Amino acid sequence: MLDFHVALEELAKAVQLPSKTRQASLVDSLGHYVSEDLVAHYDAPLFDNSAMDGYAVCDPNGDLLAFKVIGRIAAGDLAPMTLQAGEAVRIFTGAPTPKGATTVIMQEHVERVDDEIHLAEPYRANMNIRYQGEEVKKGDLLLAKHREMTAATIALCASQGYATIPVFDGLSIAVLSTGSELIPQETALSPGKIYDANRFMLQAWLKKQHHVFDGGIIKDNYEETKATLLELAAQHDVILLSGGASVGEEDHVGKAIAEVGELNGWKIAIKPGKPFGWGKIGNAHVFMLPGNPVSAYVTFYLFVYPFLQQSIGATTATFMKGTAHFEREKLEPRREFLRGMYTENRNGGFDLTIAKGQGSAMLSGLAVANCLIEITPNTAVSEGMTLNFYPIH
């Protein structure tokens, strides 16, 4: 069996997924990653404008207490006049400030009598004016490549006139399950049969960023497995299979991949998830996940997900450190990933506890967990021990 870190190194050498790009509409870009640097098309603000409703005044020396109101400027208007000392215009938020304006006085600080305004004390210069280019200059970097698009970055790009955003596109991924015991949810259960869960788990995980094809369920039949793999490899970038990855008489996936393509790695010294493997058929990368749902989840998250994230321009998550608030005397020769919960404590660190139900087929424990807690081989866990953990979402 391959060591965890050795397996990651070998995967990094063998798995070179393509990166695809496309132009996405502003709203459709949400959650995607920018595929090239984006620069500002315009200064922001584009012109000097008022940050408040009030009066733009000309007070060169900062000592005047009265001004004559000579006009009115609303948002969307032009500002054709030039203010002279002692003059003011009524102005509204977002309206361009006229030439000669030294400050904008909030309307709450003014007493107006006919066409004059009066102050109780002089007003400081450069107040309540948003100056051209003070936020962004034309040509400045707006968003760097690999930045995730959010509601805020969409608004930023929209304000700069972007109608579409260059983003990394997802891969075409076929997801299928293998096993004669598996049945679809619309079929009544019968003795010896179980509902397929892995396929839906993986599709849900991938759907947001990738183009997912539901490959259905393949029965434990070698020829059918081989034919299906060949067909899918010709159409997709990645094939994800769960089940049939072990070495039993009814486990045909590894043998089929080796016959029609290449099997590059198989069996990892981790728990859960030992029967994980990877290979290639034509240009399609193939990943074999264990049939037990928790094992499939853990191996996908640790060994497949990072490469899929890289392909869409995302950064890959790494482990964090926390303090164990549980004990575990059992020594496991394989590296173990317990399903657990992390919470931030008052000192800014993280406290770790484990979920009930640590079996590789126990989805209830996985459903309440928010992290995988790493236990190195042959290690007993005591209260207060520092452990690595991987947040899961």
Side-chain angles (χ1 to χ4, degrees):
M1 291 187 291
L2 290 174
D3 173 76
F4 172 68
H5 295 291
V6 172
L8 287 175
E9 290 174 1
E10 293 195 6
L11 272 164
K13 294 176 184 177
V15 178
Q16 301 294 326
L17 297 177
S19 286
K20 303 178 180 182
T21 62
R22 67 181 176 91
Q23 289 288 329
S25 68
L26 285 169
V27 173
D28 185 44
S29 73
L30 180 67
H32 292 277
Y33 297 85
V34 178
S35 61
E36 61 187 62
D37 289 346
L38 301 183
V39 299
H41 292 157
Y42 311 99
D43 289 345
L46 189 57
F47 49 85
D48 297 348
N49 68 89
S50 177
M52 298 284 178
D53 289 351
Y55 293 85
V57 305
C58 181
D59 185 5
N61 298 319
D63 57 1
L64 298 179
L65 296 177
F67 300 86
K68 182 179 180 182
V69 180
I70 65 168
R72 179 181 185 277
I73 308 173
D77 290 346
L78 298 177
M81 69 285 288
T82 298
L83 297 182
Q84 305 299 320
E87 292 182 337
V89 292
R90 180 75 166 110
I91 198 166
F92 298 89
T93 303
T97 54
K99 292 180 181 179
T102 58
T103 197
V104 170
I105 304 171
M106 295 174 61
Q107 60 188 16
E108 295 89 340
H109 298 162
V110 167
E111 180 182 354
R112 181 164 179 172
V113 178
D114 297 327
D115 289 336
E116 286 192 351
I117 58 172
H118 299 271
L119 308 178
E121 56 184 10
Y123 219 75
R124 285 188 297 153
N126 304 315
M127 295 295 291
N128 305 318
I129 298 177
R130 298 183 289 218
Y131 289 99
Q132 179 175 345
E134 70 176 17
E135 179 187 1
V136 176
K137 298 286 188 185
K138 180 179 179 180
D140 282 355
L141 179 65
L142 198 66
L143 294 177
K145 183 179 179 180
H146 300 295
R147 179 73 178 271
E148 183 178 4
M149 292 299 293
T150 65
T153 59
I154 288 171
L156 177 63
C157 290
S159 73
Q160 283 288 320
Y162 282 91
T164 61
I165 306 296
V167 297
F168 287 97
D169 197 9
L171 301 179
S172 177
I173 302 177
V175 179
L176 59 155
S177 296
T178 68
S180 296
E181 75 279 14
L182 301 177
I183 60 172
Q185 278 63 26
E186 58 271 17
T187 303
L189 283 174
S190 58
K193 303 296 183 181
I194 59 173
Y195 289 126
D196 179 18
N198 292 351
R199 205 167 91 252
F200 300 99
M201 174 178 70
L202 295 169
Q203 288 184 67
W205 206 332
L206 296 167
K207 183 178 179 181
K208 179 181 176 182
Q209 297 285 3
H210 297 279
H211 308 286
V212 181
F213 172 77
D214 185 353
I217 299 170
I218 305 178
K219 301 302 181 184
D220 291 322
N221 179 283
Y222 178 68
E223 293 301 327
E224 181 183 352
T225 300
K226 187 170 63 172
T228 300
L229 288 173
L230 282 170
E231 180 182 355
L232 294 176
Q235 302 172 32
H236 303 283
D237 301 306
V238 174
I239 302 173
L240 277 177
L241 306 98
S242 65
S246 193
V247 292
E249 292 181 7
E250 296 300 321
D251 295 313
H252 303 298
V253 175
K255 181 181 175 182
I257 293 173
E259 181 171 336
V260 299
E262 55 188 75
L263 185 60
N264 296 322
W266 199 4
K267 299 180 185 177
I268 315 295
I270 65 169
K271 181 182 179 181
K274 179 178 72 173
F276 168 80
W278 67 93
K280 201 171 183 183
I281 302 173
N283 292 322
H285 288 275
V286 186
F287 298 97
M288 302 185 301
L289 308 179
N292 280 320
V294 178
S295 299
Y297 186 103
V298 170
T299 52
F300 174 80
Y301 181 78
L302 294 174
F303 297 116
V304 183
Y305 187 61
F307 295 100
L308 297 180
Q309 286 292 93
Q310 290 174 17
S311 76
I312 58 169
T315 55
T316 55
T318 185
F319 65 84
M320 302 167 67
K321 291 187 177 292
T323 302
H325 286 268
F326 63 94
E327 295 185 348
R328 190 175 173 89
E329 297 181 356
K330 180 183 177 181
L331 300 181
E332 170 59 51
R334 290 179 286 165
R335 189 179 303 269
E336 194 166 9
F337 292 89
L338 303 178
R339 278 67 70 203
M341 289 73 68
Y342 73 92
T343 55
E344 187 171 359
N345 58 42
R346 65 179 63 183
N347 299 319
F350 297 98
D351 297 328
L352 303 176
T353 56
I354 57 173
K356 292 181 179 180
Q358 290 291 324
S360 62
M362 295 182 178
L363 282 168
S364 58
L366 181 62
V368 299
N370 65 2
C371 69
L372 301 176
I373 303 172
E374 181 180 359
I375 312 296
T376 53
N378 299 307
T379 301
V381 178
S382 57
E383 186 90 13
M385 181 180 288
T386 299
L387 299 172
N388 295 340
F389 71 95
Y390 295 77
I392 56 178
H393 305 288

